């Protein structure tokens, strides 16, 4: 008898669970019917607002509804109810915008780019790179173009400026590293220049410690490199605690400085290519923290270019400084099944605790829902910039 009692209770529990699930299914059916009814009413409201030239967003109205439904739900479910209705507001605004939004500047820009862009990237081009010969930017450039006439600049700002002024057709810039994160200096410059991302390439980065012939590992007192490379080789650098670490503009520049110094007590973290190029020896190869060390570079142009197969999109935007403003934007991408691959925030100089957001996501520029979403965001956000649609290799 004792052995049979738990089994009987378990069967009753299963039966009760099935009964509860049936009730939930019935409630879900009612919720769906009411949701469809609510959205149809929202459509009528949208058309009315359009005819009267009214704004879609009515924060006062939303606050009234939240206060009412919150009181109706009671203290225990207050927070959950607010989340539910905040989501409903987002969906309603998105639906209303979709219904009444006509062609916007961003969709016209996309259409023009699709119409005027060649079927493939050119094999030859004048390209701006930061650094000197042998740098990773030059290696990324060689991956993209068969024949590139490279203009070298000391800074990333110089690359942005050269593209904006029309001094060159394209520019190559590092944007993030798989082991050391975002290249913040590039992100901080993005809002200062007019440019478009037209392609992206991931380059395997292989760091070595380079020095003049005759140098020894134990005799190195100073190591030069770019801050990103220093971060990517942090584990190795801990094994050389007495060496001074000096940051410079570029890994290839570091190698060139060491080659021109005439000193055997200094070294550079740079690529093996630079060892051959500047007559240096590898004191130690493969000093990066992980073999899975990739840097992603973007190819930028002055005019928008969208090549066939573009399945990566990048945006720059600013949201209102209010609770949940970013979450409401992100939910729009989730509702369309779009995969966000990158979200970077950078502080706005001179504006306390206000940020610019940079987003990368996967999607087709030919998808009508994606284009409508871009149009809606352009109209709704305080600041919105479509940075480009492109392929990544």
């Amino acid at each position: 008898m004792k052995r049979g009692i738990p089994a009987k209770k378990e069967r009753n529990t299963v039966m009760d669970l099935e009964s509860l699930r049936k009730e939930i299914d019935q409630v879900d059916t009612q919720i769906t019917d009411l949701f469809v009814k609510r959205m149809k009413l929202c459509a009528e409201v949208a058309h009315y607002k359009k005819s009267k030239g009214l704004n879609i967003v009515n924060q006062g109205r939303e606050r009234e509804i939240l206060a009412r439904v919150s009181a109706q739900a009671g203290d225990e479910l207050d927070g959950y109810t607010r989340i539910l209705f905040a989501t409903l507001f987002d969906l309603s605004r998105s639906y209303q915008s979709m219904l009444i939004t006509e062609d916007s500047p961003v969709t016209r820009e996309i259409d023009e780019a699709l119409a005027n862009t060649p079927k493939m990237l050119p094999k030859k081009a004048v390209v701006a790179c930061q650094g000197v010969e042998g740098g990773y930017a030059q290696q990324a450039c060689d991956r993209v173009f068969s024949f590139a006439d490279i203009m070298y600049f000391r800074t990333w700002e110089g690359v942005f400026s050269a593209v904006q002024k029309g001094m060159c057709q394209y520019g190559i810039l590092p944007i993030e590293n798989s082991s050391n994160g975002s290249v913040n200096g590039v992100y901080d410059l993005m809002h200062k220049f007019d440019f478009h991302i037209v392609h992206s390439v991931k380059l395997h980065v292989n760091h070595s410690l380079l020095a003049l012939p005759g140098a020894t590992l134990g005799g190195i007192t100073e190591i030069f490199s770019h801050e990103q490379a220093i971060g990517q080789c942090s584990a190795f650098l801990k094994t050389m605690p007495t060496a001074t670490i000096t940051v410079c503009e570029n890994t290839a520049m570091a190698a060139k400085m060491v080659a021109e110094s005439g000193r055997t007590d200094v070294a550079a973290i740079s690529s093996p290519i630079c060892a051959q190029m500047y007559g240096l020896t590898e004191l130690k190869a493969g000093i990066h923290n992980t073999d899975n060390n990739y840097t992603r570079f973007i190819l930028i142009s002055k005019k928008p270019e969208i090549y066939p197969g573009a399945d990566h999109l990048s945006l720059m935007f600013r949201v209102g400084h209010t609770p949940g403003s970013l979450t409401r934007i992100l939910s729009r991408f989730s509702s369309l099944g779009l995969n966000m691959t990158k979200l970077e925030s950078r502080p706005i100089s001179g504006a306390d605790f206000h940020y610019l957001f940079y987003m990368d996501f996967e999607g087709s520029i030919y998808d009508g829902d994606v284009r409508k979403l871009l149009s809606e965001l352009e109209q709704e956000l305080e600041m919105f910039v479509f940075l480009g649609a492109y392929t990544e290799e």
Side-chain angles (χ1 to χ4, degrees):
M1 292 292 294
K2 290 183 179 179
R3 291 181 179 179
I5 291 174
K8 185 176 181 181
K9 284 185 176 180
E10 183 178 346
R11 283 196 298 272
N12 289 338
T13 300
V14 172
M15 291 176 64
D16 290 343
L17 181 59
E18 290 177 353
S19 177
L20 290 170
R21 283 175 171 169
K22 287 181 180 179
E23 289 190 45
I24 289 176
D25 289 343
Q26 293 174 1
V27 172
D28 286 344
T29 299
Q30 296 173 34
I31 290 174
T32 302
D33 290 338
L34 290 172
F35 174 72
V36 171
K37 183 177 181 180
R38 190 184 197 281
M39 295 299 273
K40 288 181 179 179
L41 291 170
C42 286
E44 294 184 29
V45 171
H47 292 304
Y48 176 85
K49 287 181 177 180
K50 182 180 181 181
S51 68
K52 300 295 183 181
L54 300 176
N55 197 329
I56 287 177
V57 180
N58 187 335
Q59 293 182 344
R61 165 73 173 161
E62 291 180 2
R63 282 194 294 270
E64 291 176 5
I65 295 174
L66 284 177
R68 173 168 52 80
V69 298
S70 176
Q72 181 181 348
D75 293 340
E76 183 178 357
L77 296 177
D78 177 21
Y80 295 102
T81 304
R82 288 179 176 273
I83 293 172
L84 171 62
F85 274 82
T87 303
L88 277 176
F89 295 156
D90 289 335
L91 294 173
S92 297
R93 285 194 296 266
S94 177
Y95 185 50
Q96 289 182 7
S97 295
M98 183 270 293
L99 290 172
I100 67 176
T101 296
E102 299 175 352
D103 281 348
S104 64
V106 67
T107 55
R108 289 194 293 270
E109 179 182 276
I110 290 170
D111 287 339
E112 290 176 7
L114 288 171
N116 298 324
T117 303
K119 297 302 181 184
M120 59 184 297
L121 271 167
K123 294 183 178 181
K124 298 180 180 180
V126 180
V127 185
C129 291
Q130 185 263 348
V132 295
E133 192 77 13
Y136 292 110
Q138 178 242 307
Q139 295 177 41
C141 183
D142 289 343
R143 276 274 304 276
V144 178
F145 299 100
S146 301
F147 308 98
D149 182 5
I150 300 178
M151 301 173 63
Y152 288 105
F153 295 85
R154 290 189 62 85
T155 65
W156 293 319
E157 186 167 6
V159 174
F160 275 113
S161 181
V163 171
Q164 181 172 288
K165 292 177 180 178
M167 297 169 59
C168 54
Q169 188 175 357
Y170 299 108
I172 287 268
L173 291 159
I175 199 72
E176 63 180 320
N177 177 263
S178 58
S179 62
N180 204 49
S182 299
V183 183
N184 292 329
V186 173
Y187 277 108
D188 288 337
L189 290 167
M190 282 187 172
H191 71 283
K192 297 181 180 180
F193 295 92
D194 294 327
F195 70 96
H196 296 82
I197 302 174
V198 300
H199 194 65
S200 177
V201 59
K202 290 181 178 178
L203 182 74
H204 186 258
V205 175
N206 182 21
H207 293 306
S208 295
L209 188 68
L210 310 181
L212 284 169
T216 61
L217 193 61
I220 298 301
T221 62
E222 188 173 10
I223 298 174
F224 298 92
S225 197
H226 186 267
E227 60 183 351
Q228 273 283 331
I230 291 169
Q232 294 164 28
C233 301
S234 57
F236 167 76
L237 291 174
K238 289 180 180 179
T239 67
M240 302 190 67
T242 60
T244 300
I245 308 301
T246 301
V247 175
C248 58
E249 295 95 333
N250 182 272
T251 56
M253 284 183 176
K256 187 177 181 181
M257 288 167 58
V258 169
E260 294 174 349
S261 71
R263 297 167 53 187
T264 57
D265 66 327
V266 297
I269 296 176
S270 191
S271 70
I273 291 175
C274 286
Q276 303 172 12
M277 188 171 294
Y278 295 109
L280 302 175
T281 60
E282 291 186 73
L283 292 182
K284 191 169 182 61
I287 62 173
H288 33 281
N289 295 342
T290 172
D291 286 336
N292 187 35
N293 190 32
Y294 289 85
T295 295
R296 178 177 169 233
F297 289 82
I298 54 173
L299 181 71
I300 64 171
S301 67
K302 182 178 181 179
K303 296 181 178 180
E305 298 178 3
I306 302 178
Y307 290 91
D311 56 1
H312 289 68
L313 292 87
S314 293
L315 313 173
M316 176 171 60
F317 59 89
R318 184 173 68 240
V319 298
H321 195 48
T322 55
S325 56
L326 178 60
T327 302
R328 287 193 288 272
I329 295 300
L330 300 183
S331 67
R332 307 271 281 276
F333 290 85
S334 176
S335 66
L336 293 177
L338 299 172
N339 181 36
M340 183 178 65
T341 57
K342 174 83 172 179
L343 183 65
E344 182 75 21
S345 65
R346 299 300 301 161
I348 301 173
S349 178
D352 291 342
F353 303 107
H354 287 258
Y355 295 86
L356 279 176
F357 292 93
Y358 303 87
M359 176 193 289
D360 297 337
F361 68 97
E362 295 175 340
S364 172
I365 199 63
Y366 303 98
D367 187 333
D369 288 335
V370 171
R371 292 161 67 93
K372 288 177 182 177
L373 176 59
L374 296 178
S375 295
E376 294 165 12
L377 295 178
E378 182 179 43
Q379 295 190 41
E380 296 172 24
L381 292 172
E382 294 181 357
M383 188 271 267
F384 173 85
V385 179
F386 172 66
L387 294 176
Y390 51 93
T391 57
E392 184 169 279
E393 61 175 286

